[in-house]
Amino acid sequence: MTGLALLLLPLAGLAWRAPWSRLPELVTSEQVLTALRLSVTTATIATLVSLVCGVPLAWILARSRLPGMALLRGLVLVPLVLPPVIGGVALLVAFGRRGVIGGWLEQTWGLSLPFTTAAVVFAQAFVAMPFLVISVEGSLRTADRRYDDIAATLGASSWTTFRRVTLPAVGPGIMAGAILAWARALGEFGATITFAGSFPGTTRTLPLEAYVAVGAGDTDTAIVLSLLMIAICVAILVGLRGRWVGTR
Amino acid sequence: MKGTRVALVAGVGVLTALGLWWWNGNDEYPSTDEEASAEAGGTVTVLAAASLTEAFTDLADELTAQHPELDIVYSFGPSSTLAQQAVAGAPADILVTADIETMDVAVEAGVVAGAPEVIARNTMALVTPADNPGDVRGLADLARSDLRIALCEPKVPCGAKADEVLGEAGVAAAPDTLATDVKEVMALVTLGEVDAALVYRTDALAAGDAILTVTAEELTKVSTEYPAALLVQAHSPQAARLVMDAMTGEVGRSALDTAGFAEP
């Protein structure tokens, strides 16, 4: 019961203090809609990036017998436990205009990442991809490998096997991982504000907008943004968990 | 099963005891304060604008050297956040904000005891990384879209002042990021991630050689006042009074002077 109270009381507090009468006006304000649109777009792109890069990575981690896999897995999962601000500092030091890679990018190609929408996606993918990787790796490990072997003996190339046999078998795991990654990307704050900055329309996502509202003493907007985030998260967890992740 | 239940009861018991102790402790505060008032010692918690970090750290060092019984604890941050915390009943003794408007929020909410006193004034400065990669020469350069520019969020004091300066100079700035406090902006300049920024003059001074300050005539026309006030929820009003007096007195003046704040 105490656990339940600890988890639910803050939410109840938000609902209690929420400016319900001004809610429709605040939720549809240009400021909130801009942040919402940016958040949904960047989180979706970050999830796609995570899928493209993370699924092969999970496959390597689950199937490779090369030495050093335990270390590689540890490194890949670091962003899971790293404070996001530290992740942002790492991104800035690497990809900032004075950073190791960023400096080269700017001088050679005239590309600069920080303070752009691309930087938001970078930061989100950095913290969200490990969620996808562990989820996919887990289902790859529990999937029956014999089907892969049979496909191979029937003459399928390893790419065909991966595409036609392995992927469908771990589909639910990938879906669950993608949803987790999307939710994590949507909630990303620390790495974003450190690496991408905060400017309306380009880098100021929902969590950043809430932070700015708190910093500026605009409690009503902060509460409305918090409720919006919670509503989105609950919708994802309730609506999709039973379908893709739950044991039923 | 039985073991779990015993543990549960014990846990609830301990929590209740802790809660009661805390509750009583809070209730008894007035009486302990009266005892403490004789020597005005104790912990004084000050919510102070981020731009005061250097000056107030000096002030605390100086003051606690004179009064070893005093313990000064600071919480530096954006003035607007601090004012909200004070209104929400944060366990603090003194609030110091970077402009009058923000202090008024606390005054109107009735959490300020007595009238706020202005302790210092500050102006804005145009700063760039030490090597000035964007070749910034004046305020007009803040409108250049090829430059990376950081400002404070217009809803916090340093952003409001930045807007005022830009308005005064007739410059439509093209910022790339808006931070919630001036220290965040300074970090971006020091790191070299932005080409130009508007910060307080005192923050520019504190950064020393790490950055370059570009002089502009328009900058001197806008200034901001720092009011300090005792809070009604102060736990040690006597000691807090002593700290307030130091802020407006000689010790405070010299620390604020060194940091580059102008007299009120």
Side-chain angles (χ1 to χ4, degrees):
Chain A
M1 276 312 280
T2 318
L4 199 61
L6 185 67
L7 293 176
L8 292 186
L9 277 179
L11 304 188
L14 268 179
W16 174 258
R17 178 62 184 71
W20 292 109
S21 56
R22 288 180 61 212
L23 199 67
E25 162 212 346
L26 285 170
V27 170
T28 54
S29 74
E30 197 48 44
Q31 179 194 6
V32 171
L33 285 182
T34 306
L36 178 65
R37 212 174 298 134
L38 183 71
S39 266
V40 170
T41 316
T42 51
T44 306
I45 301 173
T47 307
L48 292 176
V49 170
S50 301
L51 276 170
V52 171
C53 307
V55 172
L57 189 58
W59 190 74
I60 293 171
L61 288 176
R63 295 286 157 91
S64 168
R65 300 239 167 100
L66 291 174
M69 273 306 134
L71 180 66
L72 183 63
R73 180 180 305 107
L75 290 175
V76 166
L77 299 186
V78 158
L80 275 183
V81 289
L82 204 65
V85 173
I86 308 291
V89 171
L91 285 169
L92 200 58
V93 170
F95 297 106
R97 56 155 52 160
R98 305 241 163 134
V100 188
I101 305 160
W104 175 79
L105 277 178
E106 175 143 340
Q107 269 156 31
T108 322
W109 306 97
L111 286 175
S112 177
L113 266 179
F115 312 111
T116 61
T117 308
V120 178
V121 173
F122 243 69
Q124 290 176 341
F126 179 79
V127 296
M129 202 193 302
F131 283 87
L132 182 106
V133 172
I134 43 167
S135 170
V136 176
E137 195 206 343
S139 31
L140 276 167
R141 280 179 183 280
T142 49
D144 197 334
R145 287 200 57 180
R146 279 175 301 179
Y147 293 117
D148 293 26
D149 297 338
I150 293 165
T153 55
L154 291 177
S157 69
S158 55
W159 170 238
T160 312
T161 309
F162 177 71
R163 203 163 43 88
R164 304 286 299 270
V165 181
T166 321
L167 268 188
V170 296
I174 293 179
M175 202 58 209
I179 291 162
L180 268 180
W182 191 80
R184 180 66 190 86
L186 195 75
E188 215 305 305
F189 170 76
T192 309
I193 200 161
T194 315
F195 181 53
S198 166
F199 194 77
T202 54
T203 56
R204 188 174 291 173
T205 55
L206 268 186
L208 269 64
E209 191 69 62
Y211 175 69
V212 169
V214 171
D218 186 357
T219 322
D220 279 0
T221 305
I223 292 174
V224 166
L225 286 159
S226 311
L227 287 174
L228 192 57
M229 280 297 300
I230 292 168
I232 296 173
C233 293
V234 170
I236 294 169
L237 295 174
V238 172
L240 297 173
R241 188 169 168 89
R243 186 151 172 210
W244 297 104
V245 198
T247 46
R248 293 242 146 177
Chain B
M1 215 35 216
K2 202 174 174 193
T4 328
R5 199 168 302 163
V6 170
L8 203 72
V9 170
V12 170
V14 167
L15 279 178
T16 315
L18 275 175
L20 284 172
W21 172 74
W22 179 81
W23 186 266
N24 279 333
N26 269 4
D27 257 16
E28 278 165 13
Y29 250 108
S31 63
T32 35
D33 273 344
E34 274 159 38
E35 282 161 36
S37 68
E39 75 262 27
T43 302
V44 178
T45 308
V46 184
L47 305 174
S51 44
L52 288 162
T53 308
E54 290 81 12
F56 271 13
T57 310
D58 281 1
L59 183 142
D61 288 349
E62 189 70 26
L63 194 61
T64 45
Q66 290 174 16
H67 300 270
E69 76 280 6
L70 266 186
D71 187 14
I72 304 174
V73 178
Y74 290 118
S75 169
F76 294 111
S79 298
S80 343
T81 307
L82 300 175
Q84 286 299 324
Q85 288 172 350
V87 171
D93 302 279
I94 298 174
L95 170 69
V96 190
T97 60
D99 68 4
I100 307 278
E101 291 82 351
T102 311
M103 179 58 82
D104 285 345
V105 173
V107 173
E108 274 157 31
V111 293
V112 163
E117 297 167 53
V118 173
I119 60 162
R121 271 189 314 111
N122 209 350
T123 49
M124 300 300 283
L126 174 61
V127 294
T128 75
D131 57 352
N132 194 358
D135 191 30
V136 174
R137 289 156 191 275
L139 278 174
D141 286 313
L142 291 176
R144 281 164 59 191
S145 59
D146 60 314
L147 294 186
R148 280 287 166 71
I149 288 151
L151 295 177
C152 282
E153 172 65 34
K155 289 182 220 156
V156 301
C158 66
K161 285 299 152 189
D163 272 3
E164 215 177 299
V165 166
L166 292 164
E168 194 81 22
V171 175
D176 293 276
T177 186
L178 302 172
T180 52
D181 84 32
V182 68
K183 293 295 174 194
E184 236 176 278
V185 175
M186 276 311 296
L188 294 174
V189 181
T190 321
L191 274 173
E193 290 297 337
V194 295
D195 299 304
L198 279 178
V199 296
Y200 291 120
R201 196 176 92 89
T202 50
D203 291 290
L205 283 171
D209 291 342
I211 53 128
L212 184 79
T213 305
V214 180
T215 47
E217 220 250 305
E218 301 96 319
L219 287 166
T220 55
K221 291 182 188 156
V222 175
S223 77
T224 182
E225 290 174 315
Y226 286 65
L230 279 173
L231 295 174
V232 289
Q233 65 258 41
H235 276 164
S236 24
Q238 213 71 28
R241 189 67 248 171
L242 187 72
V243 176
M244 275 281 281
D245 288 345
M247 284 175 187
T248 48
E250 218 160 289
V251 178
R253 193 60 255 150
S254 97
L256 289 162
D257 258 347
T258 313
F261 286 94
E263 283 182 40

